[in-house]
Every structure is written in C-alpha cells, then in structure tokens.
Amino acid sequence: MTTYDSDRDDVIRAATALQIRSVERDACLERLRHYRHKRLLLESARPGSLELFGLIAAVGYFVLDKTIGESFSDGYKNSELHRRLKEFFQRLIDEKALKIAESIRRVIASRKIQAQVRALPPADDNSPHIIVIDISPVQKPSDAEELMTLGRALE
C-alpha cells in the first residue's frame, strides 16, 4: 500500500509540475491502479541476519511515460516533455526512498516491535537506495512465568 500511495503522489506531483492535462493525469492514475500489487520484486534472501534484496518498480514513471507517449506517438521520445519527465523522477527518487522508510517505520511501531529503520543514500548515480531495518530481539518470558497457573497469576 505504501508504494502504491507513493506512486499516486508521484503521478499527481509530476502532472502538476509538468502541466500535464487532467485527462492524461486521470488516465495515468487509472493505469497505475492495475499495478497496485505488482511493485516489489524480492531478488534474494541471505541466511544469518535476514537480508532481503528487492526492487521497487518505477511504476509512476512507467505509467506516465507510456500514457503520454501514446498520446504524442513517435516524436515523444525526443520531446522536451519526455526529458523533463525523466529529470523529475530522477530528482524524486531520494524523497521516495525516505517516504517508504518512514512508512515502514510507522508500521513497525504500530505493531509494538522495536526496530530502527534507515534509508541510506546511494554510493553513486548507478547505485540503488537501501532501506535498512534493524529489528531488536523480542524478550520472551522465562519458562517459570509461562507455566504459571491462572490462580497464581491472579494473586
């Protein structure tokens, strides 16, 4: 849900910033809905400390690019609008990683799990953004506390 909300916000912000017509914006938002549950691709997991490696698809950019591109046809790829759209989403990616990290932080906090969530900046222009989640171990009651009778617990 976080990535879908983030992509909707991206499309609306891009449409406003780039002065995209409302009919095209609405078409993009409708297309975006079709990708609602197709955003995160987990590439691998490693044993030991759990490490999941995944990709969040650039659905907002993809939908805008395809929808606007269809309306302009062949000349679109060389257009000023296409260049500005790419630049807009390149600037947006840092903000998007922070927004997703904050959403993960809220979900973890609502489940009363102790964790630290950090969004790391990319090492260079070709490196991915990394979100690190350090989860503290859950404290389990001792065996004696678990086996306590109801009568004793109510004393």
Side-chain angles (χ1 to χ4, degrees):
M1 187 69 168
T2 297
T3 54
Y4 175 72
D5 291 342
S6 175
D7 286 339
R8 271 188 61 79
D9 186 50
D10 294 348
V11 168
I12 292 167
R13 288 177 59 192
T16 301
L18 302 173
Q19 300 175 346
I20 294 169
R21 296 180 308 165
S22 61
V23 69
E24 291 172 325
R25 182 204 62 215
D26 292 345
C28 291
L29 292 172
E30 179 58 27
R31 272 190 170 170
L32 190 62
R33 198 172 55 78
H34 294 286
Y35 294 97
R36 188 177 190 127
H37 302 290
K38 301 174 184 171
R39 290 182 153 56
L40 176 64
L41 170 65
L42 292 178
E43 291 190 313
S44 66
R46 293 183 184 166
S49 295
L50 183 61
E51 291 185 44
L52 299 175
F53 296 90
L55 301 172
I56 294 181
V59 178
Y61 172 75
F62 172 78
V63 166
L64 273 163
D65 190 49
K66 294 301 173 203
T67 303
I68 295 168
E70 287 173 4
S71 67
F72 285 109
S73 193
D74 295 333
Y76 172 68
K77 289 293 180 193
N78 298 322
S79 72
E80 176 67 14
L81 179 58
H82 183 253
R83 184 191 62 75
R84 289 177 37 223
L85 182 64
K86 286 194 320 189
E87 287 176 358
F88 180 85
F89 276 92
Q90 287 169 342
R91 287 190 311 270
L92 192 67
I93 193 66
D94 293 333
E95 185 179 319
K96 188 174 190 74
L98 293 173
K99 185 175 183 177
I100 291 169
E102 182 56 34
S103 183
I104 291 169
R105 189 178 297 116
R106 281 194 312 270
V107 168
I108 289 173
S110 73
R111 294 200 173 40
K112 299 187 173 133
I113 298 170
Q114 291 190 344
Q116 181 184 24
V117 181
R118 298 174 284 143
L120 304 178
D124 55 47
D125 289 342
N126 297 321
S127 297
H129 282 74
I130 298 172
I131 297 174
V132 178
I133 306 168
D134 294 316
I135 300 175
S136 302
V138 177
Q139 296 286 341
K140 287 185 68 181
S142 69
D143 290 342
E145 290 173 349
E146 283 185 56
L147 299 175
M148 188 182 313
T149 65
L150 179 60
R152 187 164 173 203
L154 295 175
E155 289 177 348

